Amino acid sequence: MKRVAQLPCLLFFILFCSFTIKCTSQNIIVEAKPISPWSSPLKSSVKEYRDQEGFGANILIQTFFGYKAIKELSQGDIVIGCNGKEKRIVAITKHHVNRYVKLVVDNTTIYTGYDQFYYRFPTCMCVTARNIKAGDMLLNDVKEGCLVTYVELIKRNTLLYYLTVEDTIFCIAPFDVYVHNAEPLVLGL
């Protein structure tokens, strides 16, 4: 019984020590740097991340006024999502990661988080960027496949942008490839 009582304290300690959180007032941007739960939170030299969703600063998102780079968007802006549906941006966050994936989809280069979710064509099943291979097809807004011709894991620090819209799916790049929402980080006191 004593072990059960200690479990909540241990979980709180792991959660508390696993995040370095910074907040800024511009665009309500939040940076989170989670440490892998399998490494000791006391070892500062170990920098493993387990949540690496997001996109490079120049990824194009369809808006009412055409395509805009994700870095130019703000909370409250309207983007065009699946089936032409307008969706309000609920949150934009950014974070530093130590690895990301370079995809070339129908001759368009996409820099994306290692754990970012896409949808495979024709199955509509979710797949993370790390599991996409050259020759795979990704689902787009007109329910067609976009061919992935190149995939590269890049082990270098970079800044990725999360985008959270009113529901879970929005489109990126000129071919409107479906991607899954990032969940916003909510801080409460």
Side-chain angles (χ1 to χ4, degrees):
M1 189 65 170
K2 187 175 182 180
R3 288 184 184 172
V4 173
Q6 292 175 343
L7 184 60
C9 293
L10 179 62
L11 290 174
F12 175 78
F13 177 77
I14 291 171
L15 180 64
F16 181 77
C17 292
S18 295
F19 287 92
T20 303
I21 300 174
K22 297 178 187 175
C23 297
T24 65
S25 60
Q26 180 183 7
N27 293 336
I28 308 178
I29 293 175
V30 178
E31 290 190 33
K33 295 182 182 182
I35 298 173
S36 171
W38 297 279
S39 64
S40 168
L42 303 176
K43 292 182 181 177
S44 61
S45 63
V46 177
K47 290 190 176 182
E48 296 178 35
Y49 302 97
R50 58 189 150 95
D51 181 19
Q52 297 189 9
E53 291 179 279
F55 303 96
N58 293 315
I59 193 69
L60 298 176
I61 309 293
Q62 188 178 13
T63 70
F64 187 73
F65 301 105
Y67 289 94
K68 288 177 79 174
I70 195 170
K71 67 183 178 184
E72 297 172 4
L73 298 173
S74 300
Q75 183 178 1
D77 285 353
I78 303 293
V79 298
I80 306 300
C82 308
N83 302 319
K85 183 179 175 188
E86 293 181 1
K87 300 178 182 190
R88 183 170 310 281
I89 296 173
V90 175
I92 296 178
T93 59
K94 61 182 180 177
H95 60 127
H96 295 276
V97 296
N98 63 349
R99 63 185 174 189
Y100 58 99
V101 177
K102 175 183 178 180
L103 300 174
V104 178
V105 180
D106 285 347
N107 296 320
T108 300
T109 301
I110 300 171
Y111 294 101
T112 186
Y114 185 76
D115 295 320
Q116 179 61 50
F117 284 103
Y118 291 81
Y119 293 88
R120 276 203 173 115
F121 177 82
T123 63
C124 299
M125 298 294 293
C126 282
V127 60
T128 56
R130 70 175 175 257
N131 293 319
I132 296 173
K133 296 172 182 46
D136 284 353
M137 300 287 280
L138 300 178
L139 185 66
N140 72 5
D141 194 35
V142 292
K143 311 293 188 269
E144 295 176 343
C146 296
L147 180 63
V148 177
T149 56
Y150 181 79
V151 179
E152 178 184 359
L153 173 62
I154 300 172
K155 294 184 178 180
R156 188 178 323 134
N157 292 332
T158 194
L159 181 67
L160 294 181
Y161 288 75
Y162 282 132
L163 181 64
T164 304
V165 297
E166 289 176 318
D167 67 17
T168 60
I169 302 171
F170 62 98
C171 301
I172 63 165
F175 300 105
D176 294 329
V177 174
Y178 277 5
V179 294
H180 194 274
N181 233 7
E183 297 300 324
L185 177 62
V186 177
L187 301 175
L189 298 176

